[in-house]
Amino acid sequence: MIDLDLVKRSLQKVVPRVVFFECVESTNLTARDLVLEDPFGPTLVLAETQTRGRGRYDRIWVSPKGGLYMSLILSPKCASDKYTLFNLLAGCAVCHSIRKLYGLNALLKWPNDILINSRKVVGILSEVITDSLGVPWVIIGIGINANVRTVDYSPELHDKLLTLQDALHKPVDLNELIITTLQSLFQRITLLENGNHAAILDEWRRMNATLGHKVTVIDGENEITGLALDITESGSLLLQTAPDSIVCVNIGDIIHC
Ligand code: BTN
């Protein structure tokens, strides 16, 4: 159960507005509506379930009760060429929180999926929009398979995803997870705003499961295979596709990792 008062009190220094819904279509869409109707400042949108949770590439993020679905709205205080780093820092924040709270070996798959035992536990969808005055806002949407059983998802997902409840053999405290994740997020946002991008990139490198592996990245019709060498200053993936060829990939899904 989400205790809204506890979440609000614990996060009041960093998030002055927290809104909770039992059910929305998508917390990212609700966040977008809030920015367009009433741009306010850092805001957290929480929902118990989503009817059409959005994943990357317009995929559906299946959102049964017991999972954690939230979107953080903020007005970025950094140059626009650094907005892509919100994606990586959000992954680092959630991965760090899961390790700290539960001691699980959570790993980042480029750009920001979080895996445990090679199965996906967390998905992150960051979007940038502008309000009616042309001010940019970042929406960081985070979905965590928390207090749900893997068997409660459709069978084709069983070997692809994992839930925290199944990894730990007991449910987690959602309030603690929300609060720790948001605190971790804001620590890393401060790093970005203070120009310490290197710390974010280094943390991502320390917790990732992609670099050093031969991977295939798919973006629509395009497919590219190579050895994942490193990430760039803006979070793109450097792939060695031949002895004398290094390709920089900005976007895509990794299928072999
Ligand atoms: C992905 O891995 O494809 C990203 C999934 C992101 C899902 C979260 S759930 C909370 C927020 N609201 C959404 O509609 N999507 C994100």
Side-chain angles (χ1 to χ4, degrees):
M1 271 292 271
I2 294 177
D3 179 339
L4 187 58
D5 284 337
L6 174 65
V7 170
K8 280 184 174 171
R9 244 183 301 121
S10 308
L11 295 175
Q12 62 188 351
K13 286 206 181 109
V14 282
V15 194
R17 180 168 66 168
V18 180
V19 291
F20 171 79
F21 300 89
E22 268 172 26
C23 183
V24 290
E25 184 178 335
S26 145
T27 56
N28 270 34
L29 278 186
T30 305
R32 174 183 290 256
D33 290 345
L34 279 173
V35 169
L36 297 178
E37 285 159 18
D38 180 19
F40 174 85
T43 300
L44 180 65
V45 180
L46 287 164
E48 219 164 59
T49 54
Q50 303 181 114
T51 54
R52 207 174 185 285
R54 294 174 55 222
R56 297 170 69 230
Y57 291 96
D58 270 339
R59 284 188 287 247
I60 300 281
W61 184 259
V62 184
S63 309
K65 206 167 163 179
L68 184 54
Y69 314 106
M70 57 185 180
S71 300
L72 176 68
I73 306 171
L74 46 95
S75 159
K77 294 180 187 60
C78 62
S80 56
D81 65 338
K82 295 288 177 286
Y83 290 175
T84 48
L85 290 180
F86 280 101
N87 231 349
L88 292 199
L89 74 80
C92 290
V94 185
C95 200
H96 168 84
S97 302
I98 289 176
R99 288 177 174 211
K100 178 176 156 185
L101 288 172
Y102 316 119
L104 293 167
N105 185 28
L107 293 168
L108 289 157
K109 173 177 152 188
W110 184 85
N112 59 7
D113 285 350
I114 296 177
L115 311 180
I116 295 174
N117 295 337
S118 305
R119 286 153 70 185
K120 184 159 165 173
V121 178
V122 179
I124 296 173
L125 181 66
S126 304
E127 303 180 276
V128 180
I129 63 166
T130 46
D131 66 19
S132 52
L133 299 172
V135 176
W137 294 83
V138 173
I139 296 171
I140 303 174
I142 300 173
I144 306 182
N145 303 333
N147 294 335
V148 192
R149 304 294 314 276
T150 306
V151 290
D152 294 332
Y153 293 87
S154 54
E156 68 273 16
L157 294 175
H158 290 180
D159 58 350
K160 297 197 177 81
L161 66 75
L162 185 68
T163 70
L164 291 176
Q165 178 165 350
D166 277 356
L168 295 165
H169 308 291
K170 60 176 186 199
V172 299
D173 179 338
L174 289 183
N175 299 304
E176 183 181 55
L177 181 57
I178 295 167
I179 293 161
T180 305
T181 300
L182 266 291
Q183 286 166 342
S184 302
L185 252 179
F186 276 95
Q187 283 164 3
R188 285 154 185 80
I189 290 166
T190 305
L191 287 176
L192 180 62
E193 291 178 347
N194 290 340
N196 196 352
H197 320 121
I200 295 164
L201 297 170
D202 282 348
E203 185 181 36
W204 190 94
R205 288 183 183 108
R206 279 198 304 277
M207 296 197 293
N208 93 89
T210 299
L211 301 183
H213 293 272
K214 188 176 176 192
V215 298
T216 297
V217 183
I218 297 191
D219 177 27
E221 304 280 279
N222 302 321
E223 201 176 302
I224 183 160
T225 296
L227 176 67
L229 293 179
D230 200 2
I231 45 169
T232 67
E233 289 276 286
S234 57
S236 300
L237 186 64
L238 291 177
L239 284 187
Q240 177 136 38
T241 53
D244 56 353
S245 163
I246 293 175
V247 177
C248 180
V249 185
N250 304 318
I251 185 167
D253 261 340
I254 289 186
I255 55 164
H256 303 156
C257 186

